DNA sequence: GAATTTGTGTCAACAAGGCTGACATAAATT
DNA sequence: AATTTATGTCAGCCTTGTTGACACAAATTC
């Protein structure tokens, strides 16, 4: 078994700046995310969509009825950026807009059946990849991975994370 | 404590397609990576560099002397894309090229002192974020996180991952 | 009720960082 | 001597992000 944390500390030329940089995990995180997104990227390519479409569709599917402002908040892009891609998703009938019930200026975004189907199709390989990775660990390590990923998120964005399973590990089933 | 895996299975309209999609982790991975990269992004902004510069500098710093072809392989972009950004890093003296000793057509890429310093500066907050996240877990969970991330990488890319600590958890110290 | 603010849409121009195709050059290989 | 390989470079295109400006209807405030 490998050492838990081979600090390799011992001969820092300047002990004061002997800050240990975890390049290994930094790099792994890069590779992991790169391949994680590649699954969906290839499928998107075939239908002429990009990663931007995926992100929008994902969140509309996850939080049906969210408003444009809320979506902008989650995606952290400008409304002009959103508009271009969202328009395509609406034109292709993956997403529909309905007037807000309380505030009629708002536009609630909802996935259509077609949109739900696509969101599911895109998520499937990503979910399988995660499941496979989890399977190689111990049996009960999913909560740990979830904790780790949550902790990687900025404090001020934790609210975006805890929309559903507020604190609890959970999966959801599809249609 | 939250349930380990609240499958919520029970009433799938079609049991055959009751594929469980792990939307929670998919989304968490997105948020985690977004905030993970934002650390460096802000610093880069100030010096007029982008994420592309960071990736190149990171790998040149990690694998000093790697060739252009090797770098292209790791980054998975075209040489034309690389050229534009790499040229800036060379012009600003963050990276230097030396002729390959064996094959004089090759250009070995090396970080300069300036380049190393910047790479370190950019990695520091990312490393701290990871360390903080790990600290909230049990004491010995770093190997597990490492395993998970490695498993998320495509089989055919595992060689890119295991350049250094082939199988073992390790950290490195800086200058 | 009039004035202001808010939520959304849209136009225009621009930048970063991907892409493809084509071509050049030097060095290695056949 | 001919070919292949490693790299560089020019030119143009696409996606997805940006800013700034303006429009309009609905909600809110004075």
């Amino acid at each position: 078994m490998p050492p838990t944390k081979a600090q390799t500390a011992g001969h820092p030329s300047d002990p004061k700046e002997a800050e240990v940089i975890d390049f290994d995990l930094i790099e792994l995180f890069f590779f992991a995310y790169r391949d994680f997104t590649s699954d969906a990227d290839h499928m998107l390519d075939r239908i002429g969509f990009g990663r931007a479409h995926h992100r929008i569709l994902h969140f509309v599917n996850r939080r049906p009825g969210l408003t444009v402002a809320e979506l902008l908040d989650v995606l952290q892009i400008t409304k002009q950026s959103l508009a271009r891609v969202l328009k395509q998703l609406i034109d292709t009938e993956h997403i529909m807009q309905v007037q807000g019930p309380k505030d009629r200026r708002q536009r609630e975004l909802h996935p259509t059946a077609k949109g739900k189907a696509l969101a599911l199709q895109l998520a499937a390989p990503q979910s399988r990849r995660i499941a496979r990775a989890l399977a190689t660990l111990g049996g009960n390590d999913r909560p740990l991975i979830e904790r780790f990923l949550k902790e990687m998120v900025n404090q001020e964005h934790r609210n975006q994370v805890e929309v559903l399973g507020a604190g609890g590990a959970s999966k959801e089933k599809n249609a």
Side-chain angles (χ1 to χ4, degrees), chain A:
Chain A
M1 279 289 108
T4 294
K5 214 180 192 183
Q7 287 281 121
T8 319
H11 48 71
S13 38
D14 181 351
K16 213 43 183 280
E17 55 169 286
E19 192 185 353
V20 175
I21 302 289
D22 200 338
F23 278 117
D24 274 5
L25 282 193
I26 288 176
E27 202 169 298
L28 262 177
F29 207 45
F30 165 76
F31 283 127
Y33 193 75
R34 187 194 60 179
D35 287 356
F36 168 70
T37 54
S38 72
D39 283 335
D41 283 349
H42 293 132
M43 309 179 69
L44 290 160
D45 236 35
R46 277 178 245 130
I47 56 177
F49 281 171
R51 202 177 288 184
H53 299 85
H54 188 188
R55 285 199 291 263
I56 293 172
L57 182 58
H58 168 89
F59 284 108
V60 169
N61 189 52
R62 280 275 282 182
R63 297 149 170 79
L66 93 173
T67 66
V68 170
E70 287 165 349
L71 184 53
L72 288 175
D73 199 49
V74 170
L75 295 178
Q76 295 187 172
I77 55 174
T78 60
K79 67 174 171 175
Q80 295 94 326
S81 283
L82 174 64
R84 209 166 15 199
V85 183
L86 179 56
K87 197 171 189 311
Q88 298 178 57
L89 286 165
I90 290 169
D91 289 346
T92 54
E93 295 188 292
H94 287 93
I95 291 177
M96 13 171 294
Q97 292 179 306
V98 317
Q99 213 172 37
K102 307 266 172 188
D103 187 332
R104 292 179 314 181
R105 289 170 305 178
Q106 295 182 334
R107 301 279 181 264
E108 289 189 351
L109 302 172
H110 295 265
T112 63
K114 187 178 170 187
K116 284 183 200 174
L118 179 56
L120 220 61
Q121 204 192 330
L122 291 168
Q126 299 189 319
S127 188
R128 266 185 258 119
R129 180 186 293 266
I130 291 173
R132 276 196 310 268
L134 288 175
T136 69
L137 307 180
N140 263 35
D141 291 325
R142 190 184 177 287
L144 207 94
I145 300 299
E146 183 165 344
R147 270 275 294 287
F148 173 74
L149 291 175
K150 256 182 199 161
E151 292 294 334
M152 289 290 285
V153 177
N154 285 356
Q155 277 290 350
E156 68 266 31
H157 297 145
R158 295 284 163 84
N159 57 321
Q160 301 180 337
V161 165
E162 278 144 14
V163 176
L164 295 171
S170 72
K171 285 189 178 185
E172 291 145 47
K173 50 164 188 40
N174 58 34

